[in-house]
Amino acid sequence: MNNKIEIFDTTLRDGEQVPGCKLNVREKIEIARQLEQLGVDVIEAGFPISSPGDFKSVKEISQSVTIPIVCALSRAIKKDIEIAAESIKSAKRQRLHTGIGTSEFHIRYKFNSTSEKIIENAIAAVKYAKSFVEDVEFYAEDAGRTDNEFLARVCESVIKAGATVLNIPDTTGYCLTEEYGKKILYLKENVKGIHKAILSTHCHNDLGLATANSLGGIIHGARQVECTINGLGERAGNTSLEEIVMIVKKHRSLRLYTNIKSELLCPTSWLVYERTGMYVQANKAIVGDNAFAHSSGIHQDGLIKKRETYEILSPKEVGVKESSIVLTARSGRAALAYRFKKMGYTFSKKDLNLIYPIFLEHADKKKEVHNEDLKIILKTANFITNL
Ligand code: KIV
Ligand code: ZN
């Protein structure tokens, strides 16, 4: 089996669906160009039928990038597919993404339909999409809660109709990791013609399992991951691109790889945060402000002696200049001496023992002790005369 994991970025579609996250066309193009630099394989640029503005963005993104495939989303509805096809017409590499809900919830309550009719609609949508482009991805919405046997029938039918990629979304983020992995394996083993299509993961984070489930999917044979920068997306979000990419990169035993230039991960995260205004939590893996910040004395001492003691990633690897040692009331003498050295001061053990209690007194009053505070401490302890 091929070991490359295709990265399908849906920041501009699923990510932009988030309440409060609105991007204008210029901002979307800027992000799309950054995603191209980052090395994503597919950019899902939007859902063109949803609004004239979205149509315009997909059209302009199609003209603005050349390396990644530009993908447009549609429902299994003729008009949707036509508009989506029109929006990506000028893209160098085009993909249509169409699909329909396949779980009991969707079939019975959303569509008031039957399993057989859903299969018919799915086949018709793929065939219609195929009349516009060669590369057609099919999504079985709520595949996470769809019976595996029925899902396999749907997949087999759409492959026959010409689907090149099968998206197996855990739309509600419900699946357990093992369950989702086994679903992918079941499809690999039970769908006739599966070798003609790529299986794709699309996991939502409602239970905080999106990245783990995508990993479960690729371990069991999926070769495309749908994900977003900073994990943006409906409700609790999607699989975070930076997390899945670094898991694949760090765990060589998986024998998988992506095309992503990891040193652009944080700069891309910062751009998406700035343009969308969607705040990234400080303790977010890889891209959060605290991802490379060390504040407890025990950790700081270990890190100063050998970085790998407390860091499995090098900050440079993901585009951060360096780790930071944050001075707080939990910091020890090692961190204090380290910071002083960076400021150009070296103290004997005896002197440091004199300064340390004054530092602690100061630190107990503040969240973080900065260089300016340290200068005041040194003056108080009569180690420097002017500031
Ligand atoms: O979560 C989902 O099922 C989706 C589909 C439209 C692909 O976003
Ligand atoms: Zn989704």
Side-chain angles (χ1 to χ4, degrees), residues 10 13-15 17 44 73 141 167 169-172 202-204 226 233-235 237-238:
T10 183
R13 200 278 297 168
D14 215 320
Q17 280 172 217
E44 185 164 54
L73 184 78
E141 197 177 0
N167 180 7
D170 185 19
T171 305
T172 57
H202 179 112
C203 298
H204 278 269
E226 308 197 3
E234 280 277 354
R235 305 179 310 279
N238 287 64

Side-chain angles (χ1 to χ4, degrees), residues 24-307:
N24 61 37
V25 179
R26 190 178 37 80
E27 289 165 332
K28 286 189 188 176
I29 292 172
E30 189 184 9
I31 291 175
R33 289 199 171 125
Q34 177 69 21
L35 292 171
E36 180 172 45
Q37 293 300 312
L38 180 65
V40 308
D41 300 284
V42 186
I43 294 176
E44 185 164 54
F47 180 26
I49 191 89
S50 65
S51 75
D54 214 41
F55 175 85
K56 187 164 186 264
S57 323
V58 179
K59 194 169 170 197
E60 294 204 15
I61 289 169
S62 299
Q63 291 158 357
S64 306
V65 297
T66 50
I67 303 165
I69 294 170
V70 179
C71 176
L73 184 78
S74 74
R75 292 166 295 181
I77 295 175
K78 271 189 158 184
K79 190 75 191 154
D80 273 39
I81 296 170
E82 284 160 17
I83 300 284
E86 179 65 27
S87 71
I88 54 168
K89 220 166 61 184
S90 48
K92 199 157 174 228
R93 303 172 70 202
Q94 313 163 2
R95 178 180 296 175
L96 283 179
H97 190 188
T98 190
I100 196 161
T102 52
S103 70
E104 270 294 295
F105 293 102
H106 284 243
I107 299 173
R108 194 181 298 186
Y109 301 108
K110 192 167 132 183
F111 299 118
N112 188 22
S113 184
T114 63
S115 311
E116 296 314 310
K117 281 204 184 112
I118 290 294
I119 294 190
E120 274 171 34
N121 289 350
I123 294 172
V126 170
K127 283 194 174 156
Y128 196 52
K130 266 318 240 201
S131 70
F132 296 97
V133 295
E134 181 44 42
D135 191 4
V136 173
E137 172 164 342
F138 175 81
Y139 65 85
E141 197 177 0
D142 205 14
R145 294 187 298 173
T146 300
D147 167 66
N148 284 349
E149 230 174 276
F150 177 62
L151 188 60
R153 274 185 62 210
V154 175
C155 290
E156 208 164 295
S157 311
V158 295
I159 290 175
K160 268 197 206 137
T164 47
V165 182
L166 298 178
N167 180 7
I168 310 300
D170 185 19
T171 305
T172 57
Y174 176 73
C175 284
L176 293 173
T177 302
E178 201 189 353
E179 185 186 3
Y180 187 76
K182 280 189 178 159
K183 194 175 275 289
I184 297 292
L185 187 63
Y186 183 88
L187 298 175
K188 268 246 141 275
E189 290 177 345
N190 292 283
V191 172
K192 264 196 230 115
I194 193 71
H195 60 280
K196 293 188 202 150
I198 295 174
L199 278 164
S200 180
T201 68
H202 179 112
C203 298
H204 278 269
N205 206 29
D206 300 66
L207 293 173
L209 287 173
T211 300
N213 288 357
S214 298
L215 180 63
I218 59 179
I219 286 172
H220 287 92
R223 282 296 171 267
Q224 176 178 279
V225 174
E226 308 197 3
C227 46
T228 58
I229 300 295
N230 300 337
L232 289 178
E234 280 277 354
R235 305 179 310 279
N238 287 64
T239 298
S240 129
L241 182 149
E242 54 278 6
E243 291 173 13
I244 198 74
V245 163
M246 290 315 288
I247 290 169
V248 166
K249 183 165 184 199
K250 285 282 116 178
H251 285 273
R252 295 212 185 134
S253 60
L254 291 171
R255 297 182 192 286
L256 297 169
Y257 70 96
T258 72
N259 259 359
I260 298 296
K261 295 182 190 73
S262 66
E263 65 286 2
L264 291 180
L265 285 173
C266 284
T268 308
S269 160
W270 300 328
L271 176 73
V272 169
Y273 159 58
E274 274 165 23
R275 296 297 174 260
T276 60
M278 300 305 294
Y279 183 73
V280 178
Q281 73 199 55
N283 61 330
K284 166 84 179 63
I286 324 287
V287 297
D289 276 355
N290 290 349
F292 297 98
H294 304 266
S295 86
S296 94
I298 298 170
H299 288 214
Q300 291 175 335
D301 181 48
L303 186 92
I304 291 165
K305 288 175 177 148
K306 189 158 178 64
R307 192 188 60 76

